[in-house]
Amino acid sequence: MPNAKRKPAAKPRPSSSKKKSPAKTRTNHEDAGGEFPAALAELLRSRKLAVPKGLESAPPEAYANQSVSFVDQLAKHPDSQLEMFAEKVAGWAPRQLARAKAEWDSSPLIAELRRRKLKEPAPPKRVAGVSVSLRTPFKEWTDAQIVKAAGEWSKRGS
C-alpha cells in the first residue's frame, strides 16, 4: 500500500537503569595525543610487547582512519591477536610500495620505455589505477608520448 498513511513511530520507553553522568572519563590511550598508531604502540608497550617498526608512522589508510577509542576495543584481545594486528598496520606502507613497484615493472608501457632506453621517472609509491590506451601500438608512439604517459602515472601514484 504505497499511498497508505504511516503510523507515527513509537516513543522510546524510559530505561529503568540509572542515568550515566555526561562527563567523559579519559583513558590512558586518549592521553597519547589523539593518534591511533601512538596509542596502539602505547598499548603494546604496556603489555611488554614489541612495537613493530613503522607502526607509529603508519598512514591513516593502514588502520582505516580508526580513532584512538578503537585501541580500547583492541585491548580486550589476547596478545597474539594484538601483535598480528600491529604487524599488519606497520607493514601496510611497505606492502603498498611493493604492489606499486610490481605493477610498474610488469607494465607494457614501462617495458617499452626501458626498451627505448628513455629516462624513466620515479616509480609510484602507491598503487594508482592507470590505464593506457593501446589502440595505437607502442611502436607508433613517439618517445615524448611514452615519457609523458609514464610521468603522469608516476605523478598520480606519488
Side-chain angles (χ1 to χ4, degrees):
M1 298 175 21
N3 293 331
K5 290 185 179 179
R6 294 185 181 178
K7 293 181 182 179
K11 293 181 183 178
R13 296 181 195 175
S15 64
S16 59
S17 63
K18 294 179 182 177
K19 290 184 179 180
K20 296 180 182 176
S21 64
K24 183 180 176 188
T25 57
R26 293 181 64 117
T27 65
N28 289 338
H29 306 302
E30 289 170 333
D31 295 336
E35 293 186 17
F36 178 83
L40 181 56
E42 180 186 325
L43 174 62
L44 291 169
R45 286 186 199 102
S46 72
R47 291 194 181 182
K48 300 193 183 336
L49 300 172
V51 177
K53 182 181 177 184
L55 175 65
E56 294 185 79
S57 61
E61 297 85 15
Y63 49 89
N65 291 312
Q66 290 294 332
S67 66
V68 175
S69 64
F70 185 60
V71 174
D72 293 328
Q73 293 176 18
L74 290 174
K76 297 173 186 174
H77 292 277
D79 289 352
S80 60
Q81 287 181 350
L82 195 59
E83 285 176 318
M84 285 188 335
F85 182 75
E87 285 290 335
K88 277 194 157 194
V89 171
W92 186 86
R95 283 193 312 274
Q96 293 301 311
L97 183 60
R99 284 181 58 206
K101 178 98 171 90
E103 186 178 321
W104 178 266
D105 289 337
S106 66
S107 166
L109 173 69
I110 302 307
E112 181 66 17
L113 182 112
R114 289 174 180 163
R115 188 187 70 74
R116 293 185 187 191
K117 297 183 173 131
L118 301 173
K119 184 177 179 194
E120 186 174 335
K125 294 179 179 154
R126 63 181 180 85
V127 177
V130 178
S131 64
V132 178
S133 173
L134 297 177
R135 201 177 301 167
T136 307
F138 281 131
K139 66 181 180 180
E140 295 178 18
W141 285 41
T142 65
D143 289 353
Q145 289 173 318
I146 290 178
V147 169
K148 181 181 177 187
E152 286 177 16
W153 182 3
S154 174
K155 185 178 173 182
R156 286 185 184 173
S158 295

